[in-house]
Amino acid sequence: MSLPPPILRLLSGGGVVYRGGRTLDPRLQFLAAAGRNAPPMSGMTPEEARRASAEALTPLAGRPEPGVRKESVVLEAPGFPINLRVYRPQDQDPACPVIVWAHFGGGVIGDLETSDAFCQILARVTRAPVLSVDYRLAPERRFPAGLEDVLAAYRWSREHATRFGAPEGAVAIAGDSMGGGFAAVIPQELKRAGEPQPALQLLIYPWVDVACESASMTTYADAWPLNRATLDWFRGHYMGPEDDPADPRLSPLRAKDLSGLAPAVVVSAGFDPLLDQGEAYALRLREAGVPVVYRCYDHLTHAFTAFTGAVPAADIACREIAGLVREGLEGRIC
């Protein structure tokens, strides 16, 4: 069984392209050319990489979304606080769940600002409250600390959904890259614990197998902004020497049984070492009987959720993705 080739809108307007005709968006070509002149992340310390990433992403972020307000919340987890940022749309739909969001960054870099623009888009288009998690980072706190923080925030949101104007117990889970991996693990963890499934899982270019050697890992080994060397660098900081890459909490793609999980929206980027992982996970979900919608934006790169202010095609894609989530929350995933 194979997924049908996704039809994608081109920035030029109206045309369609299939996966065989992959061309990188011109603005991303420009950014990639400039980015390749920067020092590689794999040669930096985590602190240096965090600063460099924040400096690079800030001018690429989109403008604030009208009608979306932010609220800071602190979750007092056992032994440490977890900072949360809640995005509330002015026209919030009281039937929509809270969407818990986990940002990209390989478990090593990123913070609440990393996905600020996308979370605003997600809140505005879905008309749902979005709760972004500032989870602990490696190597200061290695696996499974970040995952545990997002899971704690998810469970807390389920208990306090009405505080944010959502129905009691109604929560969805979402994330991109490493955050997408977290968002894939959490429904599996809830299933193992006998807890209710999320309303939906949104996985954007998810990292769902930390030791994957698929074709896209070779084809895009030197891609921008994510490449093979950076993935190895992330893995080296995030995992400890005793951690098993086959652990489903690190590699949810390797879980034996995906049946009974929440409906899913899975998104890939065409110029991304993780391209095959998103498609493979969507296929496994579908084979397990999970309702799933899969999209691949062939003309975009990894991390495009952070480029909405500089790349119109990324902004369009993010709004389309948020629209798919809205449809999923309305029960229209088939």
Side-chain angles (χ1 to χ4, degrees):
M1 179 181 179
S2 61
L3 293 169
I7 299 175
L8 311 170
R9 298 177 190 171
L10 291 174
L11 180 59
S12 55
V16 296
V17 63
Y18 292 88
R19 282 195 53 185
R22 189 173 293 135
T23 303
L24 183 60
D25 177 86
R27 296 207 180 197
L28 285 169
Q29 292 183 36
F30 175 81
L31 290 173
R36 289 193 178 98
N37 293 324
M41 187 174 293
S42 56
M44 298 180 184
T45 66
E47 294 81 2
E48 291 170 340
R50 290 164 192 161
R51 289 194 297 269
S53 175
E55 290 172 1
L57 291 177
T58 297
L60 305 180
R63 296 179 179 178
E65 291 289 309
V68 176
R69 62 184 177 86
K70 304 178 195 180
E71 174 187 351
S72 295
V73 177
V74 178
L75 167 56
E76 294 295 344
F80 59 90
I82 302 174
N83 293 318
L84 311 171
R85 181 179 292 169
V86 182
Y87 299 81
R88 297 282 300 272
Q90 189 173 33
D91 60 345
Q92 181 174 329
D93 182 347
C96 281
V98 177
I99 302 174
V100 174
W101 172 264
H103 63 76
F104 68 72
V108 181
I109 65 174
D111 55 25
L112 292 175
E113 297 304 321
T114 301
S115 297
D116 182 70
F118 178 73
C119 286
Q120 292 186 57
I121 291 172
L122 188 60
R124 185 183 182 196
V125 174
T126 63
R127 298 173 58 203
V130 175
L131 189 151
S132 184
V133 185
D134 192 18
Y135 57 84
R136 290 173 292 172
L137 300 176
E140 295 87 349
R141 296 293 184 270
R142 294 181 184 267
F143 166 80
L147 171 63
E148 290 175 344
D149 290 356
V150 179
L151 181 55
Y154 174 89
R155 285 173 167 150
W156 180 86
S157 298
R158 188 173 61 196
E159 294 174 3
H160 296 86
T162 56
R163 169 177 173 175
F164 303 109
E168 183 175 357
V171 187
I173 187 67
D176 60 350
S177 195
M178 177 63 86
F182 292 164
V185 170
I186 284 174
Q188 296 184 17
E189 290 289 287
L190 296 173
K191 178 183 173 182
R192 282 189 279 271
E195 299 177 41
Q197 283 291 298
L200 184 83
Q201 51 179 321
L202 167 63
L203 318 176
I204 304 178
Y205 37 78
W207 195 8
V208 288
D209 190 340
V210 297
C212 179
E213 295 293 340
S214 68
S216 64
M217 291 291 288
T218 300
T219 302
Y220 301 110
D222 297 320
W224 177 92
L226 182 68
N227 55 46
R228 181 64 174 270
T230 302
L231 281 169
D232 290 343
W233 183 84
F234 284 147
R235 187 167 46 234
H237 286 297
Y238 181 66
M239 295 173 58
E242 72 287 353
D243 293 326
D244 180 3
D247 185 333
R249 297 175 302 162
L250 280 165
S251 299
L253 181 60
R254 300 193 182 205
K256 293 181 180 179
D257 181 13
L258 301 184
S259 64
L261 300 182
V265 174
V266 184
V267 176
S268 297
F271 289 80
D272 184 357
L274 301 183
L275 165 62
D276 292 344
Q277 295 198 22
E279 182 173 2
Y281 198 69
L283 177 57
R284 285 212 54 210
L285 287 170
R286 182 171 291 181
E287 289 175 335
V290 176
V292 58
V293 169
Y294 175 72
R295 293 288 185 272
C296 178
Y297 289 91
D298 281 4
H299 53 305
L300 298 180
T301 65
H302 195 85
F304 68 74
T305 55
F307 303 157
T308 55
V311 181
D315 184 72
I316 291 170
C318 288
R319 294 176 193 279
E320 288 179 349
I321 292 165
L324 290 173
V325 172
R326 174 70 190 183
E327 292 177 6
L329 296 178
E330 293 172 344
R332 291 190 280 147
I333 285 185
C334 58

